[in-house]
Amino acid sequence: MKEDSQNQGKRPGLPGADPVHKLINLALSSLFLLFREEDGTPYACLQRPGVGKLVYAILSKPFKQLLSLLFYRAEGCVPPPPDMKLALEQIAGVAVHDGPVHEVNVRVGRRADGGVEIDSGDKAGAAFIVTPQGWSAGLPEGFFRRPQGLGRLPEPVPGGSIQELWGLINIQTFFDQVLLLAVIMACLLPTGPYPILQLVGPHGSSKSTLAKILRLFIDPAAALFQSLGRPERDLAISAWNGWIFAVDNVSQIKQDASDFLCRLATGGSLRMRKLYTDLDEILLQLLRPVIVAAIPRVLVSQDAVDRSVTIPLPAISQADRLPEAVFWARVHEAAPRIFGALLDILSKVLRELPNVHLDSAPRMADFAVVGVALERAMNWEPGTFLRAFEENRLLAVASALDDDPVAQGIAALARREGFWHGRASDLLQELRGLVPRHLRKSSVWPKDGRLLSLHLRRNAPGILSLGVEINFDLNIGGMKRVIEVKWASTAEAGEFQAPSTRGAGTGADTASVDPDNPFPMDNVRLTPPGSDA
């Protein structure tokens, strides 16, 4: 009986202490640092001399596999699943209640000296450390987790030129180069909000290729593109397991998916149950750069337009096309020099950022600050970035309104009546008589007054640029929740005039332009005389 009491709680065939305690002791050894993030997520960091930190979420499958491997090496057998589950829960408790608090990054993190660390993705856990004084490779001071499929960045070399990048991609205007380079710089910074980069163009305009090239220099991964046709929970998990969230070949983005992309780019969170059988929740806090490649402009709601940069790509002629193998061989041969040039520019941007103070800023003010810092780093003419950004936004607004039958109907009503007020259902009836039947069959046409009111609330700022002011929830003549439509004054409308469109061949922009100089800027080059970039 005495022997039975001594063996109670031990598994047959496992010598020594209980497997649960052995697993906990492994996690509490000098091999690991247990800590938590600010939101309470528990982590374990595998510490090895001369190698970068390897960070694991304690309740994740990779950490479970690592702990099982260490147990096998020590005991010659694998721990029983119930013991592993119990041990992980206790290890997580130690990390949450007794561990320090550290920030955990994916791909890009901040440094205490104001610099940036970019996880290289190599096996040694090295990073590219960028400061206002320059860049180098070394072990990061911060903590990076590496989701499954995270790829390796090119090995940068000094002395490269950004001109090599322009020679590989289908970007033709100076302003588009300005905006694209600003987006790249923003994506290599650890703090947002980030612009949504929308690449549009016809078949054969290399939209997907450009997105892949951008990922090569920012966040290479095994899975480059995501599908929006999934529940928001799945989209959020995909975003959490990477840095860039990219979607390709979309013909339409529904409003809920557009809202998700906006929250992702500007910062949002998602609560979800861990299991359908319990009451515990997981809180994912997400802030990610977003790339959307599509033939038409698919980001058309006012929120999405205000948060996006749209780059149109023209079709590539057959004479200019290269076989895939030849093209990508050129890209990878030039990649170390291009990435080195991008890190050179990022270092100069970090140097300029503290000195940028805008008198007035657009909706994406943080991105505008990055853009102006880039402008100074590249020695461009003052005002270059803000002009490019504003013209890009106005083009996007004009294009969205051209494709919005509700906005066109509201403008027609305001022109005819000058002033109109009534309930949303009455307004919808008025619009039906002003909008052709084939346009009323489009997916954006509201089916009832409630959906019309929601559509107008989302897009009222853009509609104001047509000279039409919309007011909501008024009490007029005993009626409540009245909508008012009226012509706005020129001053209220901001004297809106859409800039010249760029003839990208998408069918979205119809104004007559000079295809060789769609953004007239005389004698402007990407790298002006005297630039040190």
Side-chain angles (χ1 to χ4, degrees):
M1 294 295 294
K2 183 177 181 181
E3 183 179 351
D4 290 340
S5 64
Q6 288 176 343
N7 291 330
Q8 190 174 6
K10 297 182 181 179
R11 301 240 173 217
L14 289 176
D18 185 277
V20 173
H21 291 91
K22 287 187 176 182
L23 289 166
I24 294 173
N25 289 335
L26 281 172
L28 294 178
S29 71
S30 59
L31 283 174
F32 291 101
L33 168 67
L34 303 183
F35 67 96
R36 64 179 174 88
E37 266 199 296
E38 188 67 40
D39 63 3
T41 304
Y43 286 94
C45 175
L46 180 61
Q47 304 178 110
R48 299 173 297 170
V51 179
K53 309 178 185 76
L54 296 181
V55 178
Y56 301 87
I58 288 176
L59 299 179
S60 68
K61 185 177 180 180
F63 182 69
K64 176 182 175 181
Q65 292 173 331
L66 175 61
L67 200 59
S68 181
L69 174 63
L70 295 175
F71 186 94
Y72 175 80
R73 288 175 176 174
E75 303 295 332
C77 60
V78 296
D83 290 342
M84 174 63 78
K85 182 176 185 297
L86 182 58
L88 288 176
E89 290 175 352
Q90 296 188 42
I91 295 167
V94 173
V96 170
H97 296 290
D98 293 338
V101 177
H102 293 293
E103 183 179 27
V104 178
N105 306 293
V106 176
R107 188 64 79 178
V108 180
R110 76 187 89 196
R111 290 175 56 84
D113 60 7
V116 173
E117 296 179 329
I118 305 171
D119 186 358
S120 69
D122 71 357
K123 293 182 179 180
F128 302 117
I129 300 165
V130 188
T131 69
Q133 290 73 43
W135 60 267
S136 62
L139 297 181
E141 65 179 30
F143 294 83
F144 288 88
R145 61 180 176 87
R146 289 184 163 183
Q148 185 177 4
L150 181 134
R152 183 172 179 175
L153 285 164
E155 193 68 32
V157 298
S161 169
I162 195 63
Q163 298 296 338
E164 278 201 273
L165 176 62
W166 307 135
L168 292 170
I169 63 179
N170 189 26
I171 299 292
Q172 295 190 333
T173 73
F174 171 74
F175 273 6
D176 285 342
Q177 292 175 345
V178 169
L179 293 172
L180 187 64
L181 191 53
V183 169
I184 295 173
M185 292 297 108
C187 292
L188 293 174
L189 294 173
T191 56
Y194 299 99
I196 301 174
L197 177 62
Q198 183 176 209
L199 306 173
V200 298
H203 290 292
S205 58
S206 74
K207 302 179 298 295
S208 301
T209 299
L210 176 53
K212 292 176 182 177
I213 290 175
L214 294 177
R215 294 214 60 167
L216 174 66
F217 296 117
I218 302 170
D219 183 37
L224 295 176
F225 299 108
Q226 308 292 336
S227 171
L228 288 177
R230 296 181 293 157
E232 186 173 284
R233 171 194 174 103
D234 294 344
L235 295 177
I237 292 174
S238 295
W240 192 76
N241 283 314
W243 181 238
I244 297 287
F245 188 90
V247 294
D248 186 29
N249 286 327
V250 289
S251 56
Q252 181 182 359
I253 293 182
K254 295 182 179 179
Q255 188 60 56
D256 56 349
S258 178
D259 292 342
F260 171 79
L261 295 180
C262 289
R263 293 198 306 274
L264 190 60
T266 56
S269 60
L270 176 68
R271 290 186 178 273
M272 55 188 181
R273 288 167 62 184
K274 292 174 64 175
L275 298 171
Y276 292 108
T277 55
D278 61 30
L279 299 178
D280 292 334
E281 285 187 325
I282 296 175
L283 176 63
L284 293 183
Q285 296 179 332
L286 299 169
L287 178 60
R288 297 288 187 267
V290 176
I291 299 175
V292 177
I295 292 177
R297 296 173 185 254
V298 292
L299 297 172
V300 295
S301 69
Q302 189 64 44
D303 277 352
V305 167
D306 284 344
R307 289 172 168 83
S308 64
V309 168
T310 302
I311 305 293
L313 305 177
I316 300 175
S317 67
Q318 290 186 356
D320 293 330
R321 292 190 176 278
L322 293 174
E324 286 276 316
V326 174
F327 174 77
W328 284 107
R330 292 185 181 180
V331 171
H332 289 293
E333 191 276 330
R337 297 187 298 275
I338 294 174
F339 191 43
L342 290 173
L343 296 184
D344 287 339
I345 296 171
L346 179 60
S347 174
K348 296 173 185 176
V349 168
L350 291 174
R351 191 186 313 159
E352 295 292 343
L353 276 174
N355 304 318
V356 176
H357 305 284
L358 303 180
D359 295 332
S360 61
R363 177 77 176 268
M364 293 292 291
D366 298 272
F367 176 56
V369 170
V370 174
V372 173
L374 172 65
E375 170 189 296
R376 297 178 182 179
M378 299 294 288
N379 286 338
W380 291 331
E381 180 182 350
T384 295
F385 171 79
L386 290 178
R387 179 183 170 191
F389 191 35
E390 179 63 10
E391 291 204 6
N392 189 272
R393 188 190 71 83
L394 293 177
L395 276 171
V397 169
S399 177
L401 294 175
D402 285 345
D403 295 335
D404 184 356
V406 175
Q408 299 305 314
I410 288 290
L413 176 65
R415 281 195 298 268
R416 188 188 71 181
E417 302 292 337
F419 175 86
W420 185 96
H421 70 268
R423 293 189 174 92
S425 56
D426 299 326
L427 179 57
L428 182 60
Q429 190 62 36
E430 288 279 353
L431 297 180
R432 285 173 180 152
L434 294 171
V435 176
R437 183 177 180 181
H438 72 280
L439 294 179
R440 300 201 305 270
K441 291 183 177 181
S442 72
S443 59
V444 300
W445 185 260
K447 295 180 174 58
D448 54 40
R450 183 187 65 83
L451 293 177
L452 172 63
S453 178
L454 181 61
H455 183 94
L456 292 177
R457 289 176 189 273
R458 289 182 181 276
N459 296 286
I463 295 174
L464 180 62
S465 67
L466 294 175
V468 181
E469 180 181 335
I470 306 176
N471 297 305
F472 300 91
D473 298 328
L474 303 179
N475 295 328
I476 299 178
M479 287 194 303
K480 296 182 178 180
R481 303 186 67 180
V482 171
I483 297 176
E484 178 185 76
V485 178
K486 64 180 181 179
W487 275 117
S489 69
T490 302
E492 288 172 324
E495 298 183 349
F496 173 83
Q497 290 191 10
S500 301
T501 55
R502 282 173 272 190
T506 64
D509 302 321
T510 57
S512 176
V513 299
D514 176 1
D516 295 324
N517 190 19
F519 282 124
M521 268 184 92
D522 295 337
N523 301 320
V524 173
R525 295 185 295 168
L526 184 62
T527 307
S531 172
D532 59 354

mmCIF file of all heavy atoms in Angstrom, residues 116 118 130-132 184-185 188-189 341-351:
data_model
loop_
_atom_site.group_PDB
_atom_site.id
_atom_site.type_symbol
_atom_site.label_atom_id
_atom_site.label_comp_id
_atom_site.label_asym_id
_atom_site.label_seq_id
_atom_site.Cartn_x
_atom_site.Cartn_y
_atom_site.Cartn_z
ATOM 1 N N VAL A 116 14.160 51.275 -36.679
ATOM 2 C CA VAL A 116 13.236 50.226 -37.098
ATOM 3 C C VAL A 116 14.008 48.928 -37.233
ATOM 4 O O VAL A 116 15.158 48.915 -37.693
ATOM 5 C CB VAL A 116 12.577 50.591 -38.448
ATOM 6 C CG1 VAL A 116 11.752 49.436 -38.991
ATOM 7 C CG2 VAL A 116 11.698 51.833 -38.294
ATOM 8 N N ILE A 118 13.597 45.128 -39.030
ATOM 9 C CA ILE A 118 12.834 44.376 -40.021
ATOM 10 C C ILE A 118 13.318 42.934 -39.988
ATOM 11 O O ILE A 118 14.494 42.660 -40.278
ATOM 12 C CB ILE A 118 13.018 44.967 -41.434
ATOM 13 C CG1 ILE A 118 12.645 46.462 -41.444
ATOM 14 C CG2 ILE A 118 12.173 44.203 -42.447
ATOM 15 C CD1 ILE A 118 12.997 47.170 -42.728
ATOM 16 N N VAL A 130 17.506 49.572 -39.060
ATOM 17 C CA VAL A 130 17.546 50.837 -39.795
ATOM 18 C C VAL A 130 17.387 51.975 -38.800
ATOM 19 O O VAL A 130 16.427 52.010 -38.022
ATOM 20 C CB VAL A 130 16.438 50.901 -40.865
ATOM 21 C CG1 VAL A 130 16.625 52.144 -41.741
ATOM 22 C CG2 VAL A 130 16.432 49.641 -41.714
ATOM 23 N N THR A 131 18.328 52.913 -38.826
ATOM 24 C CA THR A 131 18.282 54.093 -37.961
ATOM 25 C C THR A 131 18.475 55.332 -38.839
ATOM 26 O O THR A 131 18.805 55.221 -40.024
ATOM 27 C CB THR A 131 19.391 54.037 -36.897
ATOM 28 O OG1 THR A 131 20.668 54.206 -37.545
ATOM 29 C CG2 THR A 131 19.367 52.709 -36.150
ATOM 30 N N PRO A 132 18.304 56.521 -38.279
ATOM 31 C CA PRO A 132 18.576 57.732 -39.070
ATOM 32 C C PRO A 132 20.017 57.830 -39.547
ATOM 33 O O PRO A 132 20.316 58.611 -40.453
ATOM 34 C CB PRO A 132 18.233 58.864 -38.090
ATOM 35 C CG PRO A 132 17.228 58.275 -37.162
ATOM 36 C CD PRO A 132 17.645 56.850 -37.000
ATOM 37 N N ILE A 184 5.534 52.153 -49.857
ATOM 38 C CA ILE A 184 6.573 51.209 -49.442
ATOM 39 C C ILE A 184 7.215 51.662 -48.137
ATOM 40 O O ILE A 184 7.423 50.868 -47.212
ATOM 41 C CB ILE A 184 7.642 51.055 -50.548
ATOM 42 C CG1 ILE A 184 7.031 50.410 -51.789
ATOM 43 C CG2 ILE A 184 8.819 50.216 -50.045
ATOM 44 C CD1 ILE A 184 7.971 50.380 -52.987
ATOM 45 N N MET A 185 7.537 52.960 -48.034
ATOM 46 C CA MET A 185 8.137 53.475 -46.803
ATOM 47 C C MET A 185 7.193 53.285 -45.618
ATOM 48 O O MET A 185 7.619 52.884 -44.522
ATOM 49 C CB MET A 185 8.479 54.960 -46.955
ATOM 50 C CG MET A 185 9.612 55.251 -47.934
ATOM 51 S SD MET A 185 11.194 54.513 -47.418
ATOM 52 C CE MET A 185 11.334 53.188 -48.630
ATOM 53 N N LEU A 188 7.175 49.769 -44.266
ATOM 54 C CA LEU A 188 8.391 49.375 -43.555
ATOM 55 C C LEU A 188 8.522 50.067 -42.204
ATOM 56 O O LEU A 188 9.549 49.941 -41.537
ATOM 57 C CB LEU A 188 9.623 49.673 -44.410
ATOM 58 C CG LEU A 188 9.760 48.827 -45.680
ATOM 59 C CD1 LEU A 188 10.939 49.304 -46.522
ATOM 60 C CD2 LEU A 188 9.902 47.345 -45.347
ATOM 61 N N LEU A 189 7.472 50.783 -41.805
ATOM 62 C CA LEU A 189 7.440 51.415 -40.491
ATOM 63 C C LEU A 189 6.497 50.635 -39.584
ATOM 64 O O LEU A 189 5.469 50.120 -40.041
ATOM 65 C CB LEU A 189 6.981 52.872 -40.606
ATOM 66 C CG LEU A 189 7.927 53.816 -41.347
ATOM 67 C CD1 LEU A 189 7.286 55.182 -41.551
ATOM 68 C CD2 LEU A 189 9.248 53.962 -40.591
ATOM 69 N N ALA A 341 18.749 49.984 -51.623
ATOM 70 C CA ALA A 341 18.348 51.366 -51.914
ATOM 71 C C ALA A 341 17.128 51.761 -51.097
ATOM 72 O O ALA A 341 17.036 52.901 -50.602
ATOM 73 C CB ALA A 341 18.058 51.523 -53.414
ATOM 74 N N LEU A 342 16.175 50.848 -50.936
ATOM 75 C CA LEU A 342 14.984 51.139 -50.135
ATOM 76 C C LEU A 342 15.362 51.378 -48.674
ATOM 77 O O LEU A 342 14.811 52.282 -48.021
ATOM 78 C CB LEU A 342 13.987 49.985 -50.236
ATOM 79 C CG LEU A 342 13.285 49.822 -51.589
ATOM 80 C CD1 LEU A 342 12.455 48.541 -51.613
ATOM 81 C CD2 LEU A 342 12.389 51.023 -51.896
ATOM 82 N N LEU A 343 16.299 50.602 -48.142
ATOM 83 C CA LEU A 343 16.737 50.823 -46.762
ATOM 84 C C LEU A 343 17.496 52.136 -46.627
ATOM 85 O O LEU A 343 17.389 52.824 -45.597
ATOM 86 C CB LEU A 343 17.597 49.649 -46.291
ATOM 87 C CG LEU A 343 16.902 48.285 -46.206
ATOM 88 C CD1 LEU A 343 17.860 47.243 -45.626
ATOM 89 C CD2 LEU A 343 15.622 48.354 -45.395
ATOM 90 N N ASP A 344 18.251 52.521 -47.666
ATOM 91 C CA ASP A 344 18.902 53.837 -47.662
ATOM 92 C C ASP A 344 17.862 54.944 -47.537
ATOM 93 O O ASP A 344 18.014 55.888 -46.750
ATOM 94 C CB ASP A 344 19.706 54.032 -48.946
ATOM 95 C CG ASP A 344 20.986 53.206 -48.988
ATOM 96 O OD1 ASP A 344 21.468 52.806 -47.910
ATOM 97 O OD2 ASP A 344 21.484 52.946 -50.104
ATOM 98 N N ILE A 345 16.818 54.835 -48.348
ATOM 99 C CA ILE A 345 15.771 55.862 -48.339
ATOM 100 C C ILE A 345 15.036 55.843 -47.004
ATOM 101 O O ILE A 345 14.730 56.902 -46.430
ATOM 102 C CB ILE A 345 14.796 55.637 -49.510
ATOM 103 C CG1 ILE A 345 15.528 55.800 -50.843
ATOM 104 C CG2 ILE A 345 13.629 56.618 -49.431
ATOM 105 C CD1 ILE A 345 14.698 55.394 -52.048
ATOM 106 N N LEU A 346 14.751 54.648 -46.471
ATOM 107 C CA LEU A 346 14.054 54.551 -45.185
ATOM 108 C C LEU A 346 14.863 55.219 -44.084
ATOM 109 O O LEU A 346 14.300 55.895 -43.211
ATOM 110 C CB LEU A 346 13.803 53.081 -44.846
ATOM 111 C CG LEU A 346 13.091 52.795 -43.519
ATOM 112 C CD1 LEU A 346 11.715 53.443 -43.494
ATOM 113 C CD2 LEU A 346 12.981 51.299 -43.283
ATOM 114 N N SER A 347 16.172 55.059 -44.097
ATOM 115 C CA SER A 347 17.024 55.705 -43.102
ATOM 116 C C SER A 347 16.871 57.228 -43.179
ATOM 117 O O SER A 347 16.773 57.907 -42.143
ATOM 118 C CB SER A 347 18.484 55.301 -43.324
ATOM 119 O OG SER A 347 19.351 56.017 -42.466
ATOM 120 N N LYS A 348 16.854 57.762 -44.389
ATOM 121 C CA LYS A 348 16.690 59.219 -44.551
ATOM 122 C C LYS A 348 15.303 59.673 -44.140
ATOM 123 O O LYS A 348 15.130 60.767 -43.579
ATOM 124 C CB LYS A 348 16.976 59.598 -45.999
ATOM 125 C CG LYS A 348 18.411 59.330 -46.432
ATOM 126 C CD LYS A 348 18.591 59.573 -47.916
ATOM 127 C CE LYS A 348 19.994 59.185 -48.365
ATOM 128 N NZ LYS A 348 20.181 59.329 -49.823
ATOM 129 N N VAL A 349 14.286 58.838 -44.403
ATOM 130 C CA VAL A 349 12.925 59.162 -43.965
ATOM 131 C C VAL A 349 12.866 59.228 -42.439
ATOM 132 O O VAL A 349 12.253 60.139 -41.861
ATOM 133 C CB VAL A 349 11.921 58.125 -44.517
ATOM 134 C CG1 VAL A 349 10.553 58.278 -43.839
ATOM 135 C CG2 VAL A 349 11.766 58.282 -46.021
ATOM 136 N N LEU A 350 13.499 58.276 -41.755
ATOM 137 C CA LEU A 350 13.536 58.302 -40.291
ATOM 138 C C LEU A 350 14.212 59.570 -39.779
ATOM 139 O O LEU A 350 13.830 60.125 -38.746
ATOM 140 C CB LEU A 350 14.275 57.072 -39.764
ATOM 141 C CG LEU A 350 13.586 55.715 -39.948
ATOM 142 C CD1 LEU A 350 14.512 54.593 -39.504
ATOM 143 C CD2 LEU A 350 12.277 55.658 -39.178
ATOM 144 N N ARG A 351 15.219 60.027 -40.522
ATOM 145 C CA ARG A 351 15.918 61.255 -40.138
ATOM 146 C C ARG A 351 14.999 62.473 -40.263
ATOM 147 O O ARG A 351 15.065 63.407 -39.450
ATOM 148 C CB ARG A 351 17.146 61.428 -41.026
ATOM 149 C CG ARG A 351 18.121 62.524 -40.589
ATOM 150 C CD ARG A 351 19.214 62.691 -41.627
ATOM 151 N NE ARG A 351 19.766 61.395 -42.040
ATOM 152 C CZ ARG A 351 20.413 61.201 -43.177
ATOM 153 N NH1 ARG A 351 20.585 62.210 -44.027
ATOM 154 N NH2 ARG A 351 20.890 60.001 -43.476
#
